[in-house]
Amino acid sequence: MTDISGVKVTTDALDKPKRVNRKQDPVAILRWILLMGGGILMVLPIVYMISTSLKWPHEIYELSIIPKEPTLDNYSYVLEDGRFYMWFINSMIIAVITTVSAVLFDALVGYTLCKFEFRGRMIVFIAILSTLMIPTEMLVIPWYLMAKNFGWLDTYWGIMFPGIMTAFGTFLMKQFFETVPDDFLEAARIDGLNEFQIWWRVAMPMVKPALAALAIFVFLGNWTAFIWPLIVTNSPELYTLPVGLTTFSVEQSVQWELIMTGAALATLPTLIVFLIFQRFIIRGVVMAGLKG
């Protein structure tokens, strides 16, 4: 026992470290097990896709994850096929244009429905939301008739026009624009900015997380679209990646190793887009949590 400034301190208490109660919560353990199991189930198809792309044709129907004789010949064959680059470029052009268009138009309409008072505003908003209840398969026939009447069949515009603007994006942007304080907009009006400048220079920078999330959804939706590009295109020169990869399936056999190889290469742009906008998505989730 020592005496420091009149205060007695027991040396035994200083020497012995405090024991921390590290009892694990069974609920937390179960939660982590479920999360790990769900993560494995989500990653397993990607692992199987990559594994199949490294197999020889005679190994395709074996369920082993690790190929017995890994090969890169499938990648060489696909990359040396000039059609793959053509399909890749077509998909990139369509996905990029529709993403930029949907983000701008959805943000503009969402801002208008949120920050402006006009007669019939809720009717317009409900009409836009009602389209979310219609399955895409039911819209294919009206889209095809419209494309045929306007001469858009077998053209880039024919593939893109259904995705130029989305109802989900309009709803998402309207909800996020509600978090933008009206005081900022009024201050911008006092400074002499017109309404378009206020939307572009004041409101848009404040909803970047929503814009990033919407861009990813629209890009992925158009990058992986299959039914509509298959219906509206007849020329192989306009095929997108999902449609073009089906050409590896013939009547005699299905070249699964080449299909999986093309699919593995097609996932690279989606991963790049996600990595670029990941921090904005996380920020958007945090903002949504704080708002709730």
Side-chain angles (χ1 to χ4, degrees):
M1 181 179 295
T2 60
D3 190 349
I4 302 176
S5 302
V7 180
K8 293 181 179 181
V9 181
T10 304
T11 56
D12 295 339
L14 294 176
D15 296 337
K16 294 181 180 180
K18 293 182 178 180
R19 294 183 179 179
V20 180
N21 187 9
R22 297 183 178 276
K23 185 178 180 180
Q24 297 291 339
D25 185 5
V27 177
I29 296 175
L30 180 60
R31 186 184 300 117
W32 280 107
I33 293 175
L34 292 176
L35 288 174
M36 291 181 62
I40 293 173
L41 290 177
M42 293 180 65
V43 174
L44 189 59
I46 299 177
V47 174
Y48 182 77
M49 176 184 67
I50 298 175
S51 173
T52 305
S53 68
L54 299 175
K55 292 181 179 180
W56 293 97
H58 63 274
E59 298 182 50
I60 293 300
Y61 296 101
E62 297 181 2
L63 298 179
S64 59
I65 297 297
I66 301 177
K68 296 180 180 178
E69 301 176 0
T71 178
L72 294 176
D73 288 352
N74 297 325
Y75 286 90
S76 299
Y77 180 86
V78 172
L79 292 176
E80 290 175 359
D81 191 340
R83 297 177 302 170
F84 180 82
Y85 295 100
M86 180 176 59
W87 302 333
F88 188 92
I89 292 173
N90 290 340
S91 294
M92 184 62 67
I93 292 174
I94 293 169
V96 170
I97 293 178
T98 51
T99 299
V100 173
S101 173
V103 168
L104 292 178
F105 283 113
D106 291 349
L108 186 60
V109 176
Y111 176 80
T112 303
L113 293 174
C114 178
K115 297 300 182 181
F116 288 91
E117 295 285 347
F118 56 90
R119 183 178 299 177
R121 183 181 65 167
M122 290 306 301
I123 296 177
V124 174
F125 182 60
I126 294 174
I128 293 175
L129 288 183
S130 64
T131 60
L132 294 175
M133 296 184 292
I134 304 175
T136 304
E137 292 76 10
M138 294 183 62
L139 296 174
V140 168
I141 294 178
W143 288 347
Y144 185 84
L145 294 177
M146 183 184 299
K148 181 180 179 180
N149 293 333
F150 286 97
W152 295 343
L153 294 178
D154 208 22
T155 61
Y156 279 121
W157 178 250
I159 302 174
M160 292 187 296
F161 82 88
I164 292 298
M165 180 180 171
T166 64
F168 170 77
T170 302
F171 171 75
L172 178 68
M173 296 310 303
K174 179 182 180 298
Q175 297 303 111
F176 264 82
F177 276 125
E178 289 181 353
T179 63
V180 177
D182 294 336
D183 294 340
F184 291 172
L185 308 182
E186 292 297 334
R189 293 188 180 96
I190 294 174
D191 290 339
L193 298 181
N194 57 42
E195 295 299 331
F196 183 83
Q197 290 174 328
I198 294 173
W199 168 73
W200 181 255
R201 298 171 58 180
V202 179
M204 289 287 278
M206 301 182 69
V207 294
K208 284 183 179 179
L211 295 174
L214 178 59
I216 289 180
F217 293 149
V218 176
F219 183 88
L220 293 180
N222 287 277
W223 183 264
T224 59
F226 175 75
I227 295 178
W228 176 245
L230 176 65
I231 293 174
V232 78
T233 56
N234 296 320
S235 303
E237 295 80 10
L238 293 175
Y239 283 173
T240 58
L241 265 176
V243 178
L245 292 177
T246 59
T247 60
F248 292 128
S249 175
V250 295
E251 294 182 1
Q252 293 78 11
S253 63
V254 179
Q255 297 173 299
W256 288 112
E257 69 279 5
L258 299 182
I259 293 176
M260 292 298 181
T261 301
L265 294 173
T267 58
L268 292 178
T270 61
L271 293 176
I272 293 174
V273 171
F274 177 77
L275 292 176
I276 292 174
F277 294 103
Q278 181 181 12
R279 62 189 182 95
F280 294 107
I281 295 178
I282 295 175
R283 190 185 307 171
V285 172
V286 173
M287 290 177 58
L290 293 175
K291 179 183 176 183

